[in-house]
Amino acid sequence: MYKNLAATLVAACCFLLAPSAAISQTTPPAKDQPLKVGFVYVTPLGEAGWVRQHEEGRQAVVAALGAKVQTTYVENVAEGPDSERVIRDLARQGYRLIFTPSFGYMEPTLKVAQEFPDVKFESITGYKTSPNVATANARYYEGRYLAGVAAGRMTKSNLAGYVAGFPIPEVLQGINAFTLGMRSVNPQAQVKVVWLGEWFNPPRERDAAMTLFNQGVDAMAFHTGSTAVMAAAQERGKLAVAYHSDMRKVAPDAQLIAVTHQWGAYYTARTQAVLDGSWKSGNVWGGVKEGMIRVGDFGTKVPKTVQAEVLQRQKDIAAGKLHPFAASTDVLDNEGKLVIAKGKTLSDADILGMNWLVAGVQGKLSH
């Protein structure tokens, strides 16, 4: 699967841009030396979560390319000046391909890339490219929609919770898709959102979940970096959607479903492209169809009928038969404004610029 997907991804993201006029500060490695590949992680590396999935991607590169590569990672690197320093240090140490998987790494990556035009950079979740900076992201919202279907079938209170970091488009896409997925099978469903104003703070993530449970929520989703929400759901006997990784080790009874991110094929394809000289800047936004997003890893409380329904819808998304933001009736935001007209499907540009919360969400675009 990786081999075919790798070829698809390379083809998708290879288009030629003008060469940089900057002066390189690195010396190309000898041909018989392995390609040095660096990864920068925004939180500590744990057993599950955002960083864990990127670490599994790094391990996939090693497994696929063996002695052709030498990899390293730096963990718990704050967005901003710290990340710029770390990225620059990796470039100075001779790393020829550097993956920077966090939105706040985008500008530091671009800045360092200007200084090292012979180094290739992959800004994961960024959107700005340059001749030696490519961007990639996943259609997380597709997994969120499917998780919403499961939550809509399983909720008894018709009230779900959502603990989120910041109201950026990627997060809004997830909240809205989750809500639309719930309401596609349970029109009475509502989703209460709590904004944290940070990506990783396990105690605050836990407190937010507990507060929502106290308000009648019986199914929880989150867009933060730890397993704290899952642990809280396990403790309270509620259900929760694992994000980034399968989290059944933390919440064996509470896990409703997991939305997992699969980076191994993309990372391997891009590393191989550097090795064979075909790497070019570009942009990839892959989802279920490309194997970058998948749902599964159902918990013990989810009936087989619900599992089958969700997995069938996942197949429908892969086949292009289902789109989370296609409207069979007019879709309004939670302030009553029309956001998707009946019979219309949001374009990628509309999705990428999303700045509204759909009807059914209890919350505002602030934290």
Side-chain angles (χ1 to χ4, degrees), residues 140-148 162 174 177-178 221-223 241 243 259:
Y140 312 108
Y141 68 85
E142 293 180 345
R144 296 294 200 179
Y145 179 90
L146 296 167
Y162 212 113
F178 178 77
F222 62 95
H223 196 136
V241 175
Y243 194 50
V259 179

Side-chain angles (χ1 to χ4, degrees), residues 131-365:
N132 61 328
V133 179
T135 62
N137 208 347
R139 296 178 184 270
Y140 312 108
Y141 68 85
E142 293 180 345
R144 296 294 200 179
Y145 179 90
L146 296 167
V149 172
R153 290 297 189 198
M154 296 299 293
T155 181
K156 293 182 172 61
S157 66
N158 294 328
L159 187 61
Y162 212 113
V163 177
F166 298 92
I168 63 173
E170 177 187 310
V171 179
L172 299 177
Q173 294 160 19
I175 294 169
N176 291 335
F178 178 77
T179 304
L180 288 168
M182 283 195 77
R183 289 163 74 91
S184 73
V185 297
N186 183 347
Q188 305 306 312
Q190 298 279 319
V191 179
K192 292 176 68 74
V193 176
V194 172
W195 299 107
L196 294 184
E198 55 187 330
W199 296 121
F200 185 79
N201 188 325
R204 289 193 65 215
E205 293 170 53
R206 171 189 163 81
D207 288 348
M210 289 299 189
T211 297
L212 287 166
F213 288 138
N214 289 342
Q215 295 173 359
V217 164
D218 65 356
M220 187 74 67
F222 62 95
H223 196 136
T224 51
S226 83
T227 59
V229 170
M230 300 300 294
Q234 178 73 17
E235 182 178 332
R236 292 290 294 269
K238 306 295 185 181
L239 294 171
V241 175
Y243 194 50
H244 312 301
S245 307
D246 178 8
M247 296 180 175
R248 283 176 292 184
K249 285 185 178 179
V250 174
D253 304 314
Q255 183 160 307
L256 172 58
I257 192 174
V259 179
T260 59
H261 312 160
Q262 311 293 322
W263 293 103
Y266 178 81
Y267 283 179
T268 301
R270 298 302 278 166
T271 304
Q272 182 62 54
V274 175
L275 285 167
D276 61 28
S278 66
W279 189 99
K280 294 180 177 68
S281 178
N283 178 274
V284 162
W285 197 21
V288 169
K289 179 180 178 180
E290 294 79 10
M292 294 175 77
I293 293 294
R294 78 168 191 87
V295 299
D297 307 314
F298 297 94
T300 57
K301 296 181 180 178
V302 185
K304 294 295 184 182
T305 52
V306 174
Q307 296 183 32
E309 179 181 19
V310 172
L311 294 177
Q312 181 57 54
R313 291 208 190 188
Q314 181 167 237
K315 290 179 181 178
D316 290 344
I317 289 177
K321 298 178 181 178
L322 172 63
H323 193 297
F325 296 118
S328 58
T329 60
D330 284 349
V331 175
L332 308 180
D333 69 11
N334 66 356
E335 295 180 348
K337 178 183 175 183
L338 178 68
V339 287
I340 314 176
K342 179 181 177 179
K344 300 295 184 180
T345 300
L346 290 187
S347 68
D348 280 357
D350 290 333
I351 297 170
L352 289 166
M354 191 169 284
N355 64 351
W356 44 267
L357 290 168
V358 74
V361 177
Q362 300 178 19
K364 295 185 177 181
L365 297 179

